[in-house]
Amino acid sequence: MTKISNFIDTYFLHFNAAALAESAEAYKNQLHQGNKMMITLAGAMSTAEIGKILAEMIRQDNVHIISCTGANLEEDLMNLVAHNHYKKIPNYRNLSPKDEQELLEKGLNRVTDTCIPEIEAFRRIQEPLAKRWLEAHKKNIQKFPHQFLYDLLREGDLEKHYQIDPKNSWLLAAAKKNLPLVVPGWEDSTLGNIFASKCMQKTITSETIKNGIEYMIWLAKWYKENTCKNGIGFFQIGGGIAGDFPICVVPMLHQDMQEQNIPLWTYFCQISDSTTSYGSYSGAVPNEKITWGKLGVNTPKFIIESDASIVAPLIFAKILNW
């Protein structure tokens, strides 16, 4: 037994700690049974540098598909090429509106305790990415948002700008494996806004990038193909569209497509600090998903009410036998 795993087994015995340990073991059991696993990324997990451990999960085939927000898609790449220019704000809770304005004027976009440098991050990526958008537009080629970023990484355009060890980028690890990605609501991201501006300037058309409906159609096909013999589990970090969007593929196939014998998700775990109140879907207990045709009565279900930036690395470490 390795140090982190042994520590968890010894001391994580009750309440949220027990849920953490049990969900990690159940995740491992899913893999041992030959099932696949989807991970969904909400919040600012890429800026929290989840790539340091998620990339290894990808390399060791512990993740088979990822659903993420547009922000998490781009922010892992930005961390890869502009990390040295990031600024930590340890006293972020005490910032005044004037302090925030000063950060804006310095080109520093704040995410809790970390400021992303706009020029070094966004603009470093924008030119080579916009070039690919334009080429695709001229050739009448359509791609998903993540496929353009995969191309950017595989073709080495940004290698000279790397400022962290490349092994700590989950997006680079995913690109190397051609890991399936789903990015619902991508337009709600900085790169999505930049793309929209190009469309408004009439240099490209919106059809160049496939949208969320096309992601759902693709996901439905992928889900059916990958549940022919085994199941697929669902590991949700945070709430929001990254989790809400892909989990609905099962009831859509059942109820809207009227397809028979579509398996439910075989495992469910969510890390969230949202509470069950006033219709909060992110805070809903897993059993509510039974009524929506997403999970079954006997599906292993876990909810860990805690900080994902603490919990997710511990669970991944347990799965990796660290």
Side-chain angles (χ1 to χ4, degrees):
M1 183 68 71
T2 53
K3 290 183 179 180
I4 297 175
S5 296
N6 186 56
F7 182 87
I8 291 172
D9 288 344
T10 302
Y11 298 107
F12 284 40
L13 305 176
H14 300 282
F15 319 134
N16 276 300
L20 183 158
E22 291 163 4
S23 67
E25 285 301 318
Y27 189 127
K28 291 170 71 173
N29 288 337
Q30 289 288 305
L31 300 179
H32 291 156
Q33 291 167 20
N35 293 341
K36 294 185 176 181
M37 190 66 71
M38 168 180 275
I39 287 182
T40 75
L41 290 177
M45 295 305 296
S46 288
T47 297
E49 299 187 66
I50 192 65
K52 285 190 171 184
I53 192 165
L54 180 56
E56 189 61 24
M57 288 280 287
I58 293 169
R59 282 190 288 270
Q60 295 199 23
D61 295 319
N62 293 322
V63 185
H64 304 92
I65 182 171
I66 288 176
S67 171
C68 70
T69 59
N72 274 301
L73 182 74
E74 66 191 18
E75 287 176 14
D76 182 83
L77 186 55
M78 291 169 188
N79 183 58
L80 177 63
V81 301
H83 182 80
N84 295 346
H85 300 279
Y86 277 52
K87 182 177 177 61
K88 290 292 291 291
I89 310 290
N91 63 331
Y92 67 91
R93 290 184 176 87
N94 301 323
L95 294 178
S96 68
K98 183 179 178 182
D99 294 330
E100 304 280 19
Q101 179 66 29
E102 289 174 357
L103 291 174
L104 170 64
E105 291 169 359
K106 293 176 182 176
L108 296 170
N109 304 140
R110 186 169 70 85
V111 180
T112 313
D113 67 352
T114 302
C115 287
I116 300 174
E118 183 169 349
I119 293 175
E120 289 80 4
F122 298 116
R123 306 311 171 192
R124 185 163 287 170
I125 298 166
Q126 182 177 352
E127 183 178 347
L129 187 58
K131 178 182 176 182
R132 281 173 170 75
W133 291 339
L134 183 59
E135 289 173 353
H137 166 70
K138 289 179 177 178
K139 296 177 181 178
N140 199 28
I141 295 172
Q142 291 182 300
K143 292 184 179 182
F144 286 118
H146 75 273
Q147 291 176 318
F148 283 103
L149 297 188
Y150 274 9
D151 290 344
L152 198 60
L153 289 166
R154 289 174 182 145
E155 292 166 19
D157 293 44
L158 300 174
E159 284 185 6
K160 62 183 178 182
H161 298 300
Y162 288 178
Q163 295 185 359
I164 63 170
D165 189 329
K167 72 181 180 62
N168 291 331
S169 166
W170 73 260
L171 188 62
L172 182 57
K176 288 181 177 179
K177 277 189 170 286
N178 199 28
L179 191 79
L181 254 62
V182 177
V183 191
W186 171 78
E187 57 274 14
D188 180 24
S189 67
T190 299
L191 291 179
N193 294 166
I194 292 170
F195 179 79
S197 74
K198 300 292 183 185
C199 295
M200 293 169 70
Q201 293 163 0
K202 302 187 184 304
T203 56
I204 51 178
T205 58
S206 60
E207 292 79 10
T208 302
I209 288 188
K210 295 182 180 180
N211 60 32
I213 296 300
E214 290 167 294
Y215 263 129
M216 180 59 81
I217 294 168
W218 177 90
L219 178 60
K221 180 181 179 182
W222 183 90
Y223 190 89
K224 289 167 63 177
E225 290 174 349
N226 285 272
T227 52
C228 292
K229 296 181 180 180
N230 298 94
I232 302 173
F234 198 95
F235 188 88
Q236 182 173 343
I237 299 177
I241 194 171
D244 301 352
F245 180 91
I247 202 169
C248 291
V249 71
V250 173
M252 184 197 73
L253 288 168
H254 280 155
Q255 300 167 19
D256 303 317
M257 293 296 293
Q258 296 290 302
E259 297 198 22
Q260 305 299 317
N261 303 316
I262 300 296
L264 301 175
W265 298 96
T266 57
Y267 163 100
F268 178 81
C269 177
Q270 181 179 5
I271 308 167
S272 174
D273 60 1
S274 180
T275 58
T276 306
S277 63
Y278 303 107
S280 165
Y281 180 75
S282 295
V285 295
N287 282 348
E288 184 177 294
K289 293 174 175 60
I290 295 173
T291 72
W292 291 88
K294 300 167 184 175
L295 305 178
V297 172
N298 298 317
T299 305
K301 307 174 193 71
F302 306 90
I303 187 163
I304 306 162
E305 296 180 325
S306 188
D307 182 338
S309 66
I310 298 171
V311 171
L314 288 171
I315 291 177
F316 293 164
K318 188 78 164 63
I319 294 163
L320 291 165
N321 294 315
W322 285 3

